[in-house]
Amino acid sequence: MPSERIKAFKDEHVTKVFCKDGYVNRVYLSILRSRTMTEVWKETEGEPTTLRKAKAISRYLDTMPIFIRPTETIVGFYAEDPHALPVTIEATDPGIIRLMIACDQVKPEEKEEWEELVEYWELRGLNRLTLSLLNEEECEWPKHEHGYVEALPSMYTSRAQAEYDLVLEHGLKGIIEILKKKFDDLAFARESSTGGASLQIAHQMVDLRAMIISAEAVIRLSNRYSQLASDLAQGEKSSARKQELLDIAERCAYVPANCARTFLDAIQSHWLCFQVAHMIEYLSHGTSLRLDQLFWPWYKDDVMDKKTQTRERALEAMEEFLLKVDEMGRPLPLLTMKILQGTNFMATYTIGGVHTDGSDACNETTMLILDAIDDLNLSHPDFKFRWHPNVSPKAYQRALEVISLGLGQPSIKNDEVAIDGLMNHFGYTLEEARTWAVVGCISPAPTLNWGRARRDAWSVAPAKYLELTLFNGVNPINGKKLGLETGDPKLFNSFDEFFEAFTKQFRKAITLSARIRAISQEAENALCKRPFLSTMFRRCHESCRDVMDTPDKSMPWVNDPGIVDTVDSLIGIKRLIYDEKKYTMADMCKALQANWVGYEKMRQDFINAPKFGNNDDYADEVAVRTYTMVADEMSKVTDCYGQSPMPSGLIVTFMWALADKTGALPNGRKLGDPLADAGISPHSGYDKNGPMAAILSASKIDARKQKANIFNQKLSPSCIKGQAGLKKLQDYTTSIMKLGLDMVQFNVIDAATLKEAQAKPEQYKDLVVRISGYNSKFVELDEFVQNAVIARTEHSI
């Protein structure tokens, strides 16, 4: 059970969860950073971008209102109020901010100023710069509300996978000393340099100045919190709270300026630096950390060896930290709100796995985190547990116990598959690959040497390219031509001919989207410098450059929502059009254009055709061919660093957001019906042969050609009840991993409970379900998505 203080903090903390067309709680867009950024940008016109950014962030950290809540012992927030949303005005599409203004999600007295700020940055921001580099066709495809592609950085947020151990081990003062020594060495070398070397040194010295300015500003911010805590302590009547405030004051005076001494030091130091790098300097999403590895040295020293801190206090600190992560949010386009409903920030932490030498990495901090998830009944942040053959039995069993409670987490990720892909596709060393943490929702990335500083991902929707194939490049929903003219499908003589036309449509999509992404990333590199984040990358210390200008080893992937629907549709076409010749292509296309109305018998035949997820070789051969084609076509394009992407079966709630943008399909689906809710598990209701048949179908897809792939499965709570049930779940999950799937995640809940929660939401406020790459409270979902979760086939093992 959480402590009374944690219960109180949980009750008052303000989540920024999307629901339907808005937010669950009252939120507003904070103007303070945007105001400061604009002031400094006007004052520093003509100066290097990285220096301008450092000055802007420094001023904001020196002037932003700060607060300490009565229940807090870890302090720091990105804005003036827990209800405030941050925005990186220079990098955000102006339409997103204007939507917030129109929805009265800004303070009334600030509306006019907001309009002025948006107008200023509309001419100078990332959106303008990116679009100016794209041609007419490249600008057209992203306009269709992610129906075809999602690739523009100004429509989403970025990444920040810093090496936070640098701060914990050296403190910001230690990092500043390193940077100043580099600066002095460059100043000496500059005296004898000429030509290109002079130019390089000049850029390096500017970037080092910017890093130092930003790091010093973070130290001042921490000192401001120290002073505030000290002031509050003077008037505090409760002796216990007074001591807590004095402890906060002492802690913030020491870290992050200096190296962490204790477990609480480590959490406080990390949290404040995380807020600046992740939420203030450049709004980022996800968390991309091996949380149990980051804090382990301090937990071991403080709690286990010296016993200067109790496990109970350490658990309370971890729970407060996780609840703070749950408060983070961001403004996004309306469609993206729908895609991510039930969540917002997509914070995902990774636990378990192996050390760089291959030995098991689970430790007592892993157990502490699992206990915190259990205690808090958390839906967010999300956790991924790295399974490997020699995983700690104790930690693995505890992870499965938490899963069995019905929390939908942690997901189980396959270490061997992830490490293989990072090495053999992206070229990371074994040592680097073994350090991976999930970036975003499900995608592994090394944390050693090559932490992310950009969003490597974009999205394409395969079902739309199947539609374009069926209608010769025309979108059947609106009659507009967007794709290639790959020929009248009624004239195709074989499934192979049809599949080749589909491949050409997909090739066009992946080539165009990769080009959009590469160009837009270059625009992002030019404008969105990150001097403070750069202080926490060893490669930036070595290069003496901002992380956006430091050589990178990229790791792109492309989300492919609708891939399962595409596979099932191709199976139906192969069986009923080409093999059995029960229907003609003309018949089927007429039925699809009519949204199956008047063609119910034909629709039932397509619904009853073989489907992926039943261990049916006929269906699964088409699936293998489709997944392989998608991976092969992605391997033919590159990002701006010359690296080819891999497919990622991340659906989030694209299943709902694309429902009215994807027409009727040959799997029997109608316009408006949800798409499949995962990247490699069967469409709801189409898996007829039991849970293991679905697993066996998925195992035929080469997971090592996929960046990541979600497999969702709903289990009856009764089948894993008690120790015997838990043993069944462990054996089952281990079998899934040994079959080579990338990941599996379970909803342990029955449909009856979900239906009752729909009818009586006030009684099920904390009911958590797994959506796709994240969890959500069930009652915070739109009814459409609730029904999609209910419709998942319920299995027993």
Side-chain angles (χ1 to χ4, degrees):
M1 285 286 291
S3 67
E4 291 304 314
R5 193 177 63 78
I6 291 298
K7 287 179 185 176
F9 187 83
K10 186 178 180 182
D11 287 342
E12 72 178 20
H13 90 302
V14 184
T15 62
K16 315 299 187 300
V17 171
F18 296 134
C19 183
K20 300 179 183 178
D21 296 338
Y23 296 82
V24 169
N25 293 309
R26 177 184 64 83
V27 296
Y28 70 91
L29 202 59
S30 172
I31 202 170
L32 301 183
R33 182 198 180 277
S34 298
R35 180 186 291 157
T36 302
M37 186 76 185
T38 307
E39 289 171 355
V40 173
W41 223 249
K42 289 177 178 178
E43 294 169 9
T44 59
E45 190 170 343
E47 295 184 22
T49 305
T50 184
L51 201 56
R52 299 172 84 184
K53 187 68 170 285
K55 290 179 178 180
I57 297 308
S58 177
R59 184 178 297 180
Y60 178 70
L61 298 184
D62 285 343
T63 59
M64 63 178 282
I66 61 174
F67 59 89
I68 296 175
R69 286 174 279 190
T71 50
E72 288 184 316
T73 58
I74 301 163
V75 299
F77 199 71
Y78 54 75
E80 70 274 22
D81 178 350
H83 290 272
L85 280 172
V87 63
T88 309
I89 194 168
E90 68 274 19
T92 301
D93 188 300
I96 297 173
I97 301 175
R98 289 202 168 104
L99 174 66
M100 301 286 289
I101 297 170
C103 294
D104 293 322
Q105 289 172 328
V106 299
K107 293 179 179 179
E109 66 272 19
E110 294 172 351
K111 279 191 174 183
E112 187 175 336
E113 184 180 1
W114 267 118
E115 292 288 359
E116 293 172 358
L117 293 172
V118 172
E119 185 177 345
Y120 177 85
W121 285 102
E122 196 163 28
L123 300 175
R124 296 164 178 82
L126 179 59
N127 194 61
R128 175 68 174 266
L129 179 58
T130 301
L131 294 179
S132 71
L133 295 171
L134 301 178
N135 64 28
E136 186 176 344
E137 182 185 36
E138 292 156 357
C139 288
E140 177 64 25
W141 280 59
K143 290 179 182 178
H144 296 266
E145 292 192 300
H146 303 348
Y148 294 94
V149 302
E150 176 267 314
L152 296 178
S154 59
M155 297 295 285
Y156 208 61
T157 45
S158 193
R159 306 278 193 215
Q161 193 187 21
E163 297 170 29
Y164 287 104
D165 61 300
L166 272 171
V167 180
L168 300 188
E169 292 175 6
H170 299 283
L172 289 177
K173 285 183 179 178
I175 291 173
I176 290 169
E177 287 180 11
I178 293 170
L179 299 177
K180 285 184 174 179
K181 175 65 166 59
K182 294 278 188 179
F183 187 91
D184 291 343
D185 291 345
L186 286 169
F188 179 79
R190 185 173 185 162
E191 296 301 317
S192 58
S193 68
T194 60
S198 300
L199 181 61
Q200 174 67 14
I201 289 173
H203 284 308
Q204 289 175 310
M205 292 180 72
V206 165
D207 285 359
L208 287 171
R209 281 178 59 201
M211 291 183 219
I212 292 167
I213 288 169
S214 62
E216 289 175 340
V218 175
I219 292 174
R220 292 196 300 275
L221 175 64
S222 188
N223 287 335
R224 291 180 64 204
Y225 277 107
S226 175
Q227 185 61 55
L228 176 59
S230 181
D231 292 344
L232 290 171
Q234 297 306 311
E236 179 58 53
K237 295 180 180 178
S238 164
S239 58
R241 181 57 183 165
K242 182 171 185 174
Q243 186 58 54
E244 285 180 349
L245 289 165
L246 292 173
D247 290 343
I248 291 169
E250 191 277 333
R251 198 155 43 242
C252 288
Y254 193 80
V255 294
N258 300 288
C259 59
R261 304 158 297 183
T262 66
F263 184 65
L264 287 174
D265 270 3
I267 292 180
Q268 177 62 68
S269 178
H270 167 71
W271 177 247
L272 201 61
C273 292
F274 180 87
Q275 287 290 289
V276 177
H278 234 81
M279 305 298 292
I280 296 173
E281 182 176 71
Y282 188 14
L283 184 52
S284 303
H285 64 282
T287 39
S288 313
L289 283 171
R290 300 180 73 186
L291 201 61
D292 54 348
Q293 306 306 306
L294 179 68
F295 291 139
W296 166 238
W298 289 271
Y299 182 88
K300 181 178 183 299
D301 181 68
D302 198 18
V303 179
M304 299 180 68
D305 294 346
K306 294 179 180 176
K307 302 189 187 306
T308 49
Q309 192 62 263
T310 66
R311 189 183 193 275
E312 290 72 24
R313 180 66 184 101
L315 178 62
E316 187 181 61
M318 178 59 68
E319 290 174 352
E320 182 180 346
F321 170 77
L322 295 179
L323 289 171
K324 285 177 171 291
V325 174
D326 192 36
E327 282 195 307
M328 296 189 293
R330 52 192 170 145
L332 290 172
L334 180 58
L335 181 76
T336 310
M337 292 185 190
K338 294 178 180 179
I339 290 170
L340 298 178
Q341 65 171 281
T343 187
N344 176 311
F345 193 71
M346 306 293 286
T348 305
Y349 289 106
T350 304
I351 55 176
V354 296
H355 294 297
T356 53
D357 63 2
S359 60
D360 179 63
C362 295
N363 55 53
E364 286 304 312
T365 316
T366 316
M367 304 298 291
L368 187 84
I369 291 166
L370 289 167
D371 287 351
I373 298 169
D374 185 351
D375 241 9
L376 295 172
N377 198 45
L378 274 181
S379 62
H380 178 263
D382 186 43
F383 281 86
K384 302 291 188 279
F385 183 87
R386 288 175 49 177
W387 176 92
H388 59 92
N390 297 314
V391 66
S392 159
K394 178 183 174 184
Y396 185 31
Q397 181 172 341
R398 183 65 179 124
L400 293 171
E401 285 174 355
V402 174
I403 290 170
S404 72
L405 297 173
L407 295 179
Q409 69 164 318
S411 306
I412 306 295
K413 289 281 287 183
N414 193 328
D415 233 17
E416 294 180 320
V417 171
I419 291 169
D420 183 281
L422 290 170
M423 292 175 61
N424 293 324
H425 184 90
F426 295 110
Y428 294 105
T429 66
L430 175 60
E431 183 182 45
E432 290 167 344
R434 282 173 168 167
T435 69
W436 70 266
V438 160
V439 174
C441 291
I442 61 172
S443 184
T447 59
L448 177 66
N449 300 331
W450 300 107
R452 314 318 308 140
R454 300 165 186 82
R455 182 176 180 239
D456 291 10
W458 69 95
S459 302
V460 298
K464 289 303 293 184
Y465 307 112
L466 178 63
E467 280 189 313
L468 294 179
T469 309
L470 288 167
F471 296 96
N472 200 16
V474 174
N475 181 357
I477 295 177
N478 58 22
K480 292 183 178 180
K481 182 182 178 300
L482 192 67
L484 295 172
E485 292 184 11
T486 45
D488 185 345
K490 294 187 287 292
L491 302 179
F492 295 157
N493 295 313
S494 68
F495 180 73
D496 288 345
E497 197 174 342
F498 180 87
F499 195 88
E500 178 56 30
F502 169 56
T503 301
K504 288 177 182 177
Q505 294 285 1
F506 187 81
R507 182 180 300 143
K508 166 76 172 180
I510 197 64
T511 302
L512 184 73
S513 62
R515 189 162 66 246
I516 294 169
R517 191 64 188 159
I519 293 169
S520 62
Q521 274 199 328
E522 185 56 32
E524 189 178 15
N525 291 347
L527 181 64
C528 303
K529 305 302 184 185
R530 309 182 74 169
F532 182 63
L533 182 66
S534 301
T535 66
M536 295 181 288
F537 280 111
R538 289 174 174 85
R539 65 179 185 266
C540 293
H541 296 184
E542 293 166 6
S543 68
C544 301
R545 292 304 309 270
D546 188 279
V547 69
M548 304 303 277
D549 294 302
T550 294
D552 201 352
K553 193 170 185 175
S554 65
M555 188 202 60
W557 69 91
V558 183
N559 303 316
D560 51 9
I563 183 69
V564 175
D565 303 85
T566 304
V567 164
D568 282 344
S569 295
L570 287 167
I571 296 166
I573 290 170
K574 184 176 188 298
R575 170 59 67 92
L576 296 173
I577 305 295
Y578 292 107
D579 290 354
E580 294 184 352
K581 295 182 171 53
K582 186 168 185 177
Y583 299 103
T584 66
M585 183 66 73
D587 292 334
M588 185 191 71
C589 288
K590 284 180 183 178
L592 296 177
Q593 283 185 303
N595 199 27
W596 293 111
V597 175
Y599 296 87
E600 188 57 30
K601 182 181 182 304
M602 185 192 300
R603 178 173 177 251
Q604 289 304 317
D605 284 341
F606 275 90
I607 287 174
N608 292 322
K611 294 288 186 291
F612 175 66
N614 292 288
N615 196 26
D616 179 330
D617 286 340
Y618 180 92
D620 295 345
E621 283 173 9
V622 176
V624 169
R625 182 175 182 179
T626 306
Y627 281 93
T628 300
M629 180 277 288
V630 167
D632 288 347
E633 291 303 320
M634 289 184 187
S635 72
K636 296 173 185 176
V637 303
T638 59
D639 67 1
C640 61
Y641 301 101
Q643 181 60 266
S644 296
M646 295 179 82
S648 171
L650 175 65
I651 309 303
V652 285
T653 51
F654 268 115
M655 60 176 180
W656 177 65
L658 297 183
D660 61 351
K661 295 173 179 59
T662 308
L665 292 174
N667 64 345
R669 178 192 158 276
K670 290 185 174 183
L671 170 67
D673 288 348
L675 284 78
D677 66 3
I680 203 167
S681 51
H683 194 293
S684 298
Y686 284 171
D687 44 342
K688 306 291 188 182
N689 293 342
M692 202 62 206
I695 295 294
L696 290 170
S697 283
S699 72
K700 297 172 188 177
I701 310 300
D702 187 354
R704 286 164 171 77
K705 285 191 174 183
Q706 311 285 313
K707 184 71 177 66
N709 239 327
I710 288 176
F711 188 101
N712 281 331
Q713 204 162 70
K714 185 164 74 174
L715 298 179
S716 168
S718 61
C719 77
I720 58 170
K721 192 174 181 180
Q723 286 302 310
L726 189 63
K727 179 66 167 59
K728 279 196 294 182
L729 179 61
Q730 181 169 330
D731 292 343
Y732 182 59
T733 305
T734 302
S735 297
I736 293 171
M737 293 293 101
K738 288 183 176 180
L739 281 167
L741 270 69
D742 168 65
M743 68 179 291
V744 65
Q745 47 195 28
F746 299 107
N747 264 321
V748 182
I749 196 162
D750 55 62
T753 301
L754 295 174
K755 289 176 181 177
E756 185 173 343
Q758 269 189 323
K760 303 174 182 177
E762 69 283 352
Q763 296 180 20
Y764 291 87
K765 290 188 295 183
D766 290 328
L767 177 61
V768 174
V769 293
R770 169 62 63 173
I771 303 301
S772 182
Y774 66 91
N775 297 308
S776 172
K777 291 183 178 179
F778 183 74
V779 298
E780 294 177 348
L781 295 169
D782 182 270
E783 186 178 359
F784 186 99
V785 180
Q786 288 181 340
N787 289 338
V789 174
I790 292 170
R792 290 173 180 165
T793 306
E794 186 176 318
H795 292 290
S796 291
I797 55 173

